[in-house]
Amino acid sequence: MKDAGTPAHPTGTEDTPATPGWVEDSLDRILASLPVAADKLASFRASYLDCLAGCGRTADLDRAHDACRQGFLRAVKDGLELDASTLRTLEQQLEQLELSISSEI
């Protein structure tokens, strides 16, 4: 039993926003098609997934997803050297992923 003076620490079972596992798998397949090593994409991937998880069931889910996607694409464009065609394909794939998320809710 904990003392009243001991701060509580979160456990692995506490509720935190998260995306379903299939979203991560789908995103990993999308990112694997890029000409960039996975370790260079890791922080971009994590930020995008966090953003999607934070969308939850907002009133305008499409707008929330759009903001996540645009932020991800800006960060990737600024941080990596990808050509316009690759970025456009990536954007289209992310849009399809987000549509799948919306249809599951």
Side-chain angles (χ1 to χ4, degrees):
M1 183 170 196
K2 289 224 178 243
D3 271 306
T6 304
H9 297 285
T11 66
T13 59
E14 292 189 24
D15 290 331
T16 58
T19 57
W22 66 266
V23 173
E24 292 187 39
D25 292 340
S26 295
L27 180 59
D28 288 343
R29 282 191 298 278
I30 291 168
L31 296 179
S33 69
L34 296 175
V36 178
D39 62 325
K40 288 186 178 180
L41 291 167
S43 64
F44 301 110
R45 175 191 180 276
S47 294
Y48 180 62
L49 287 171
D50 286 346
C51 186
L52 290 177
C55 293
R57 296 175 186 245
T58 62
D60 192 348
L61 189 57
D62 292 335
R63 183 182 295 207
H65 284 167
D66 186 56
C68 292
R69 182 178 62 259
Q70 294 306 319
F72 176 79
L73 291 169
R74 258 191 319 277
V76 168
K77 184 179 178 183
D78 291 346
L80 304 171
E81 293 182 20
L82 297 176
D83 61 64
S85 175
T86 301
L87 286 169
R88 180 64 189 143
T89 299
L90 176 59
E91 181 174 22
Q92 291 169 341
Q93 291 172 323
L94 296 176
E95 286 171 347
Q96 289 301 310
L97 174 62
E98 293 159 10
L99 285 172
S100 296
I101 294 168
S102 295
S103 71
E104 292 289 323
I105 292 180

